[in-house]
Structures are given as C-alpha cells and as structure tokens.
Amino acid sequence: MNSELLMIPGPVLLHSRVLKAMSRPMINHRSPEFAEVYGECIAILKEVFQTKNDVFVLSGSGTAGMEAAVSNVVDGDDVVTIVNGKFGERFKEIVALYGNPIPVEYEWGNPIELSDVEGALEKGASAVTMVHNETSVGMLNPAKEVGALAKKYDALFIMDGVSSIGGVDVPVDKWGVDIAIVGSQKCLAAPPGLAALAVSEKAWERMKAKSPYYLDLQAYRKYAAKELAQTPYTPAVSLFFGLHEALRMIKEEGMHERIERHRKCAEAVRKAMNAMDMQLFPRLNDVSAYSNTVTAVKMPEGITDKQLRGGMKKRGVLIAGGQAHLKDKIFRIGHMGNVSTKEILVTLEALESTLSELGVNAEGGVAAAKDALK
Ligand SMILES: Cc1ncc(COP(=O)(O)O)c(C=O)c1O
C-alpha cells in the first residue's frame, strides 16, 4: 500500500469509515437492506443538491451522468454548449452524438460572457449545457445567471456539477438547474464509479420517446418508486455502501461547515501561490470565480510537468498536471472531499521544497497559508 497524499482533483482520499463500509458482505440489490441504503443516499443527496427534484444514482462515473442527462432529453435538438475547458468540450462532444451543438466557446480558462449565451439561446435552442466548476482550469462558471437565461428562453439547463456539488454552494432548485450531475469521487469523498443526477419536472416533460437503454432515466425513476427502492439494473453495491457512509459523514459535518472548509482551504492555497509569486492560471477579475475545489497554477518558466510533479511525488504528494494543450503549462492542486489544514500545509511544503530544488525562488507559501488557515 502506498501512503501518498492524493491532492489531485478526484479521486480523493477516502476516510477509513468509507473503506470499511465497502468491505461489507454482499447483499441482494432488490432487498429491504439495499432499499434502505439507496433511500438514505437519495435523502442526503437531495440536501446536498438543495433540491426537491428526483435524484438517482447511476453505476458509472461522472461522464455517464453527463451522457445520461443529454441522451434522455436531446434527440436532434439544437443545444447551446458552453465551453471554456476540457469538460465543457466533453459536453459538446456528447451533445454532437445526440443533437446539434450551438457552441459558445472561449479559450480554456477564460470567463463566459452572458451576452454570448443569450445571443445563442435567442435562436431557439432546447437546452444549454455548462460545467459549473471547470476542473481543467480551476474556475467556476456563472450557473445562477445561465440558469436564469435558460428559464427566460424556456431551454433546459443541464449542468455538470461533477466537481462542485458537495464542496461549494450549489442550490440546484434556486438556480433553475433542470439536470444537475455530481461525481462520487470528488467533493462527496466517496469511491469513484457512481454519478448522481437531480432531474426537474420540466426535464421530465421533455424526455424523448427514443431513450437510451442503460442510462434511461425514466427507468431509474420507475425503479426508485417501487416499494423497495432500487435501480433498473444491478448497481455497484459496494460502491453504494461507500457512498452511503460518505454521505452520512457529510450530514454529520453539515453542508454549511463543509462549504466553509473548502473555501478556507482554497483561499489558503491561493494566498500561498500569491506569496510564492506563482500565477493562478485563469485571469479573473471576479475573485469569487476561482474554484474552491481545485487550483490551477501557471508552470514556472523553464520547468516541465515531469520535473514538478516528479519532485512532488518524490516527496509523497500527488498533484495533477494540465490536460491536453495545457500539459506543461499548468499544474493543478485538488483540495476537495476530506481536505483539511494538514493536507494543504504538507502539499505546500512539498511544493516549496520541489521548486527550490529546481532553482525557482518561491518561498513564503506555507507561512501565508498558515496565516489564512488560522
Ligand atoms: C467537471 C468534470 N466533469 C466531468 C468529469 C468526468 O468525470 P469522470 O472522470 O468521473 O467520468 C470530471 C472529471 O474529472 C470533471 O472534473
């Protein structure tokens, strides 16, 4: 077993209670025992999503959740696809399989202009897709505002909250999100392999006659409503045990406290980068648009991804690099799930020491973070 500190933007380190829950003996997935686990997962997820809408858990990762959302409500329709990072791009690719993307695109890490979104919606699209927390560039997109525009133009708002829900404030109903998606391995601090979706009444009204088979949301709805709540096909039961325990821990902590912990850790990382003269990758005027679950930082001049992340790994800390064309241009520190002061400080100590070994003068990060975490 390695004892590396996992500071990537998911999967995240799991609490021993979650690991233990996953080693429970197997049960029948159409039994009162499973119905209780599933029922409690749904009840807590509704609080996490801040929704009264139907919530389901799919056996599949976040991308399965994205594809389920699109494939159930898009069949040849025009869909506004907002892209300013890798996962927005993925949404657009999924939409292209089921309908016609109307892209509203920016360079990765650049903010979205609401007037562009409105301009695209005016032409009569049936839905809009957006990634709330763009993990690839460490920024938050304006979900509340895009939700209001979707409502104004009677389009469905399909939102990827894969790396935000459970770590930042995401009032799904208040923002008018018609289908919201979260991944288990991110802020929920559960094992990878599950995706949860919240589906609004408006989304149910727009379900297509031609639905996918495995990801048919109407089938999920029908089976969840049975006397013993269940899923249409055999779920990844052990992962559900893990998710169940992780959600119980969220309830014990309280969402308010959890959001505040994420905010504080993220702010400490940003302050540390500032003190170390390291530049955050997205250049945002609105400070609140920096992600509180992952920080993307420009790679210092002359340093490669291999050198930086290799040095961190040697010190027992795993961070993430840039994706696609951002490889070698940025590195990313994940601070989601069970993250606390200790992990943040260990990571920053390793970063200072790695950079110093590579000849980059970048000190004062740990001190700045300690100050912010007081
Ligand atoms: C914002 C976002 N959306 C979607 C995904 C895809 O999730 P998965 O890898 O669980 O399929 C990720 C994964 O990193 C993500 O960060």
Side-chain angles (χ1 to χ4, degrees):
M1 282 297 282
N2 68 43
S3 57
E4 280 170 332
L5 178 58
L6 203 51
M7 296 296 282
I8 63 174
V12 299
L13 286 177
L14 300 182
H15 194 278
S16 55
R17 277 175 56 183
V18 173
L19 293 171
K20 189 162 164 237
M22 283 196 288
S23 65
R24 271 181 64 183
M26 193 43 57
I27 58 171
N28 177 358
H29 61 295
R30 306 204 189 280
S31 64
E33 290 81 4
F34 183 78
E36 198 184 322
V37 168
Y38 191 30
E40 205 178 337
C41 284
I42 298 303
I44 302 176
L45 280 166
K46 282 190 179 184
E47 290 176 29
V48 173
F49 279 85
Q50 302 178 52
T51 189
K52 291 196 163 51
N53 293 338
D54 294 314
V55 171
F56 309 101
V57 181
L58 313 179
S59 295
S61 73
T63 309
M66 294 166 82
E67 184 155 12
V70 171
S71 60
N72 279 273
V73 295
V74 177
D75 183 13
D77 312 51
D78 287 347
V79 177
V80 173
T81 54
I82 302 174
V83 179
N84 61 348
K86 173 158 178 82
F87 297 103
E89 189 87 40
R90 184 171 299 179
F91 242 158
K92 186 182 76 177
E93 288 165 9
I94 294 171
V95 166
L97 288 174
Y98 298 96
N100 311 311
I102 311 290
V104 173
E105 296 196 55
Y106 306 90
E107 269 191 43
W108 290 15
N110 280 1
I112 289 163
E113 297 288 341
L114 292 170
S115 54
D116 296 342
V117 178
E118 179 150 24
L121 279 167
E122 268 168 3
K123 293 177 194 136
S126 74
V128 52
T129 62
M130 191 186 77
V131 175
H132 180 218
N133 186 69
E134 224 341 318
T135 323
S136 60
V137 293
M139 68 184 282
L140 274 180
N141 286 323
K144 180 179 165 203
E145 292 77 6
V146 170
L149 284 176
K151 190 168 176 203
K152 181 172 169 190
Y153 291 94
D154 198 30
L156 290 178
F157 181 25
I158 307 177
M159 193 192 79
D160 169 337
V162 169
S163 64
S164 61
I165 295 173
V168 305
D169 188 32
V170 187
V172 163
D173 290 0
K174 213 153 87 188
W175 289 353
V177 186
D178 292 297
I179 308 186
I181 308 140
V182 70
S184 53
Q185 79 276 28
K186 311 257 182 196
C187 302
L188 301 179
L194 301 175
L197 282 85
V199 182
S200 75
E201 214 33 67
K202 183 164 138 194
W204 287 123
E205 284 161 15
R206 310 248 180 121
M207 292 282 158
K208 300 293 181 188
K210 182 178 158 226
S211 57
Y213 197 97
Y214 190 73
L215 297 175
D216 179 359
L217 291 176
Q218 297 185 78
Y220 272 85
R221 186 188 212 188
K222 188 171 134 200
Y223 277 77
K226 283 183 186 268
E227 199 182 323
L228 292 178
Q230 54 193 276
T231 57
Y233 318 108
T234 313
V237 176
S238 302
L239 301 185
F240 274 71
F241 287 154
L243 175 69
H244 184 215
E245 193 62 26
L247 289 170
R248 283 178 160 178
M249 291 183 67
I250 291 180
K251 194 148 169 81
E252 285 165 20
E253 180 178 18
M255 269 313 289
H256 179 76
E257 288 73 12
R258 194 173 181 88
I259 290 165
E260 181 55 17
R261 175 167 57 77
H262 280 80
R263 190 199 59 75
K264 222 171 160 182
C265 288
E267 195 173 271
V269 171
R270 290 194 291 267
K271 287 200 165 151
M273 293 306 122
N274 194 25
M276 292 163 82
D277 261 341
M278 305 282 285
Q279 263 189 21
L280 300 182
F281 173 65
R283 308 293 292 167
L284 305 172
N285 294 329
D286 175 9
V287 183
S288 69
Y290 284 107
S291 168
N292 279 348
T293 64
V294 55
T295 297
V297 185
K298 279 196 181 160
M299 192 69 81
E301 247 341 274
I303 306 294
T304 65
D305 180 73
K306 197 170 169 199
Q307 285 173 315
L308 185 87
R309 289 202 297 134
M312 294 293 285
K313 185 170 162 55
K314 207 166 71 182
R315 289 163 175 80
V317 182
L318 295 186
I319 59 170
Q323 294 166 291
H325 63 277
L326 291 179
K327 182 172 179 337
D328 282 315
K329 301 266 189 323
I330 64 168
F331 63 88
R332 294 174 300 145
I333 301 172
H335 30 78
M336 55 178 80
N338 295 319
V339 69
S340 69
T341 300
K342 183 171 141 224
E343 289 81 22
I344 297 293
L345 295 180
V346 170
T347 303
L348 293 171
E349 271 163 24
L351 185 61
E352 279 193 22
S353 151
T354 301
L355 287 169
S356 155
E357 187 179 69
L358 293 170
V360 180
N361 185 14
E363 285 166 3
V366 175
K370 273 189 183 158
D371 207 40
L373 288 163
K374 263 184 201 154

